[in-house]
Amino acid sequence: MHLIIGGAGQGKLPYALRTYHCTPADVSETFSVARTKRIFDRFHVAVRAALEAGEDPQQLTEELLEANPDIIILCDEVGCGVIPVQPEERIWRETVGRLCCALAEQAESVERVFCGLPMCLK
């Protein structure tokens, strides 16, 4: 598994498509479809959807990695900036952060993309 993080609109998906020789057809934005795709884009949004549906994003992530261990996961950095007032927003932000920490630990590589430029973290 490879993890690519960065701010919104910083070029994570174009970088992943180019680097891993993929096309838009190789991209998913949901846990269920990501089991059969090469790239899982907008991981942070899928985590929010799982929380709102009463599902466990950690379990969904573990099941995804078991089904598709070579996946490339793209996630916006959501832990920077102003702390949200709403409790559910804080829970979502913390969940995404903790999942990204766990993913980074397991990942073959971790990159941060800023202004379209990759920085190797691992």
Side-chain angles (χ1 to χ4, degrees), residues 44 47 75-76 78 91-101:
H44 60 289
V47 169
C75 186
D76 280 8
V78 298
I91 290 168
W92 166 68
R93 188 170 105 150
E94 185 169 328
T95 301
V96 170
R98 291 183 188 279
L99 285 170
C100 280
C101 288

Side-chain angles (χ1 to χ4, degrees), residues 2-5 103-105 107-112 119-122:
H2 301 271
L3 177 62
I4 300 173
I5 61 169
L103 288 170
E105 189 175 309
E108 181 178 326
S109 69
V110 180
E111 293 175 284
R112 180 174 189 260
M119 293 176 275
C120 180
L121 303 176
K122 176 182 178 185

Side-chain angles (χ1 to χ4, degrees), residues 4-82:
I4 300 173
I5 61 169
Q10 293 298 311
K12 294 178 297 296
L13 183 57
Y15 170 74
L17 292 172
R18 184 176 61 251
T19 302
Y20 294 98
H21 310 290
C22 295
T23 69
D26 297 313
V27 179
S28 169
E29 293 185 0
T30 65
F31 279 102
S32 58
V33 179
R35 291 171 171 256
T36 62
K37 298 288 184 169
R38 184 78 174 109
I39 297 175
F40 186 179
D41 190 20
R42 299 171 49 87
F43 177 76
H44 60 289
V45 174
V47 169
R48 179 189 300 274
L51 288 169
E52 290 173 352
E55 299 174 310
D56 180 357
Q58 181 175 348
Q59 181 180 348
L60 292 172
T61 302
E62 290 169 5
E63 292 170 358
L64 170 64
L65 294 177
E66 189 174 310
N68 190 353
D70 295 325
I71 194 162
I72 302 149
I73 298 175
L74 283 58
C75 186
D76 280 8
E77 295 175 355
V78 298
C80 299
V82 178

